[in-house]
Amino acid sequence: MATASEIAAVGVIGAGQMGSGITQLAAAAGCAVLLLDADPTALSRAVASISASLRRLAAKGQLSQAACEDSIKRIRCVSTVQDLRDADLVIEAIVENEDVKKKLFVELDKITKPSAILASNTSSISITRLGSATKRPSQVIGMHFFNPPPIMKLIEIIRGADTSDEVFAAVKSFSERLGKTVICSQDYPGFIVNRILLPMINEAFWALYTGVATKEDIDTGMKLGTNHPMGPLQLADFIGLDVCLSVLRVLHNGLGDNKYSPCPLLVQYSEVRNTWLLTPEIIAVYS
Ligand code: 3HC
């Protein structure tokens, strides 16, 4: 199994916001990155946004022009799991659905080299259960990045019941190589950050739902009253209401406490209206 300094080739699955940010970080740290997505439009959008982001860093003098262009060249877009056969580390950042992730892990287990580490950027799904879908549970680990990954300074590492000490040590030093601070969580629903963050966001929805205050006052209250960079409702939009709902359901089912039960307003916005934006018009309809 590769140690952190031997991780030379990284596979990233999912060219959304998280996958793009992770790709940028790994390429800037000197890795060859294979970015996998079945949707060619998502891949070209990701490469355009990564290139723009790296060039912005170069323009600000935080990266040399040569390092910026070399990082962009290290990224290769691929469209099948088979293309990841030579990766030392694969990080998946696909949809937050346990069955879909398990199927992907079964595939990855079959095609990646025996020494490869398989990591999930899941927000809340059990790493032990994802690992048990493979024949290498000791090499399966949670590597939870925060949005936007190039800016947020944290990686939360989650050890499954079977994750080995060697794999934990390799992923911890690799995360530090990406310039991040690492915290380690045991494999409980929501891990550390989302276990605490999502109940706060849910409570903000309850405050709006029960007419405590306007969306603007709830967000301003938390921004200026507790120095958060974004209010909880704006942050929920930023994370994605579908992701917020899915994490709350994992907390509710896994911890069996009604305090995690998602506010009906969040369910309405996310599922019934199928909208991700708390526009004044939508709030007027539901509050
Ligand atoms: N990618 C790269 N760089 C970005 C970026 C992105 N997506 N968004 C902003 N930036 C950069 C800007 O270029 C700017 O850089 P500069 O200061 O060197 O010019 C810097 O970040 C600040 O950006 P802005 O001035 O445009 O905006 P803000 O000062 O409002 O910062 C923010 C934007 C960093 C997103 C800030 O609002 C913030 O920290 N918000 C909270 C984010 C947060 O809590 N994320 C975690 C969510 S939970 C999660 O992800 C876990 C999941 O499992 C649910």
Side-chain angles (χ1 to χ4, degrees), residues 56 60 123 144 146-148 151-152 194 197 229-230 235 239:
R56 241 185 350 259
K60 284 190 280 190
S123 303
H144 185 204
F146 294 83
N147 192 15
I151 300 291
M152 303 300 282
N194 283 340
L197 178 65
M230 282 176 172
L235 182 58
I239 291 170

Side-chain angles (χ1 to χ4, degrees), residues 17-18 24 53 56-57 60 62 121-124 144-152 193-194 197-198 229-230 234-235 238-239 243 247:
Q17 261 189 329
M18 299 306 289
Q24 177 181 327
S53 178
R56 241 185 350 259
L57 292 178
K60 284 190 280 190
Q62 291 173 15
N121 177 53
T122 177
S123 303
S124 58
H144 185 204
F145 292 77
F146 294 83
N147 192 15
I151 300 291
M152 303 300 282
V193 176
N194 283 340
L197 178 65
L198 267 297
M230 282 176 172
Q234 186 191 3
L235 182 58
F238 185 67
I239 291 170
V243 175
V247 175

Side-chain angles (χ1 to χ4, degrees), residues 44-121:
S44 34
R45 209 173 30 229
V47 170
S49 104
I50 296 166
S51 306
S53 178
L54 285 167
R55 288 185 180 128
R56 241 185 350 259
L57 292 178
K60 284 190 280 190
Q62 291 173 15
L63 191 69
S64 75
Q65 200 61 48
C68 163
E69 296 309 320
D70 288 348
S71 301
I72 296 168
K73 280 189 210 135
R74 280 193 284 269
I75 301 168
R76 187 154 74 84
C77 293
V78 296
S79 56
T80 69
V81 173
Q82 280 67 26
D83 294 315
L84 303 182
R85 69 181 76 82
D86 295 327
D88 301 305
L89 166 69
V90 177
I91 306 169
E92 70 77 15
I94 63 165
V95 62
E96 198 62 6
N97 175 303
E98 185 166 333
D99 290 337
V100 178
K101 284 191 193 288
K102 273 185 178 158
K103 280 194 191 116
L104 176 64
F105 273 81
V106 168
E107 281 291 291
L108 287 172
D109 192 28
K110 280 189 204 143
I111 65 97
T112 52
K113 53 190 184 186
S115 59
I117 297 173
L118 307 181
S120 173
N121 177 53

Side-chain angles (χ1 to χ4, degrees), residues 24-274:
Q24 177 181 327
L25 287 168
C31 299
V33 188
L34 298 154
L35 175 58
L36 167 66
D37 200 294
D39 177 0
T41 315
L43 284 172
S44 34
R45 209 173 30 229
V47 170
S49 104
I50 296 166
S51 306
S53 178
L54 285 167
R55 288 185 180 128
R56 241 185 350 259
L57 292 178
K60 284 190 280 190
Q62 291 173 15
L63 191 69
S64 75
Q65 200 61 48
C68 163
E69 296 309 320
D70 288 348
S71 301
I72 296 168
K73 280 189 210 135
R74 280 193 284 269
I75 301 168
R76 187 154 74 84
C77 293
V78 296
S79 56
T80 69
V81 173
Q82 280 67 26
D83 294 315
L84 303 182
R85 69 181 76 82
D86 295 327
D88 301 305
L89 166 69
V90 177
I91 306 169
E92 70 77 15
I94 63 165
V95 62
E96 198 62 6
N97 175 303
E98 185 166 333
D99 290 337
V100 178
K101 284 191 193 288
K102 273 185 178 158
K103 280 194 191 116
L104 176 64
F105 273 81
V106 168
E107 281 291 291
L108 287 172
D109 192 28
K110 280 189 204 143
I111 65 97
T112 52
K113 53 190 184 186
S115 59
I117 297 173
L118 307 181
S120 173
N121 177 53
T122 177
S123 303
S124 58
I125 295 169
S126 163
I127 298 302
T128 306
R129 288 204 297 272
L130 293 180
S132 67
T134 72
K135 295 193 176 69
R136 60 176 102 183
S138 65
Q139 287 161 240
V140 174
I141 194 160
M143 220 180 155
H144 185 204
F145 292 77
F146 294 83
N147 192 15
I151 300 291
M152 303 300 282
K153 295 186 172 65
L154 185 72
I155 294 179
E156 186 176 41
I157 296 183
I158 301 99
R159 296 188 67 147
D162 303 302
T163 310
S164 72
D165 290 344
E166 292 73 21
V167 166
F168 173 70
V171 169
K172 181 172 183 287
S173 4
F174 180 72
S175 303
E176 286 161 355
R177 206 176 125 195
L178 301 183
K180 304 299 180 189
T181 296
V182 168
I183 56 173
C184 175
S185 173
Q186 295 302 318
D187 191 18
Y188 288 108
F191 318 129
I192 301 170
V193 176
N194 283 340
R195 167 95 175 244
I196 298 167
L197 178 65
L198 267 297
M200 182 195 70
I201 288 176
N202 200 32
E203 202 55 41
F205 275 92
W206 278 107
L208 183 64
Y209 185 53
T210 54
V212 171
T214 62
K215 168 188 182 289
E216 289 72 22
D217 280 359
I218 293 167
D219 273 355
T220 303
M222 293 306 288
K223 271 167 76 176
L224 302 187
T226 62
N227 253 2
H228 290 190
M230 282 176 172
L233 297 169
Q234 186 191 3
L235 182 58
D237 269 344
F238 185 67
I239 291 170
L241 298 189
D242 54 339
V243 175
C244 292
L245 185 57
S246 122
V247 175
L248 278 163
R249 286 187 169 144
V250 168
L251 290 173
H252 190 211
N253 294 336
L255 300 168
D257 191 323
N258 270 340
K259 75 180 174 186
Y260 301 109
S261 172
C263 173
L265 191 63
L266 170 58
V267 179
Q268 287 275 13
Y269 288 158
S270 179
E271 287 192 338
V272 182
R273 299 283 300 194
N274 197 23

